[in-house]
Amino acid sequence: MKLNAYFYNLESANKAANYLKNMGFKAYVDIIDKYADTYNDKQNIAGTDTGPTLASLVLKSGYPFDIRKSPLLMSDPMISGMGYYDEITDANIQLNVEVTDDKTNDVVKVIKSFGGLT
């Protein structure tokens, strides 16, 4: 079975993965990026057809997308900056471990000892 755990920082996730690999488990780390497709090296200019709103200047600047969806995207506190810090921090590093049912508890203990969430 595949066990998914989540970490707040990459260093702890890598340490846990290495520890589990040394124990003989197949483990790998994956960084969860909700906005990987939003990067573009072009820029929208304020007051033009491509930059009529603040949302269009922040989200996918220089990337053709449906401008009607931007208010929904801007409501995410990660983007708008309108949320408290604890609202936007999350465990965005995932550790995936292939484990048999009889070893699940051992793996969960290791993950928790490195600060992971299961």
Side-chain angles (χ1 to χ4, degrees):
M1 112 179 180
K2 185 167 135 179
L3 179 68
N4 298 324
Y6 300 91
F7 287 82
Y8 290 101
N9 67 64
L10 185 58
E11 182 181 4
S12 297
N14 282 329
K15 286 181 180 179
N18 289 333
Y19 191 90
L20 291 167
K21 286 177 186 177
N22 289 335
M23 291 176 62
F25 294 102
K26 182 180 176 186
Y28 62 94
V29 175
D30 185 21
I31 298 174
I32 302 167
D33 188 0
K34 296 188 283 188
Y35 305 104
D37 66 335
T38 62
Y39 175 75
N40 193 309
D41 60 352
K42 295 180 182 175
Q43 181 178 352
N44 290 345
I45 307 299
T48 65
D49 288 340
T50 60
T53 66
L54 177 60
S56 63
L57 296 173
V58 174
L59 296 170
K60 298 187 179 185
S61 185
Y63 182 81
F65 73 105
D66 188 355
I67 195 73
R68 294 170 294 177
K69 295 179 183 176
S70 60
L72 289 176
L73 293 172
M74 281 298 289
S75 67
D76 186 340
M78 274 299 265
I79 296 173
S80 68
M82 298 302 288
Y84 293 109
Y85 183 73
D86 58 346
E87 290 179 12
I88 62 172
T89 58
D90 60 352
N92 62 348
I93 298 165
Q94 184 176 21
L95 172 63
N96 304 294
V97 185
E98 293 289 334
V99 62
T100 57
D101 289 337
D102 60 327
K103 298 288 185 182
T104 302
N105 288 337
D106 296 335
V107 171
V108 169
K109 285 179 186 176
V110 169
I111 290 168
K112 288 185 178 183
S113 73
F114 283 96
L117 309 169
T118 56

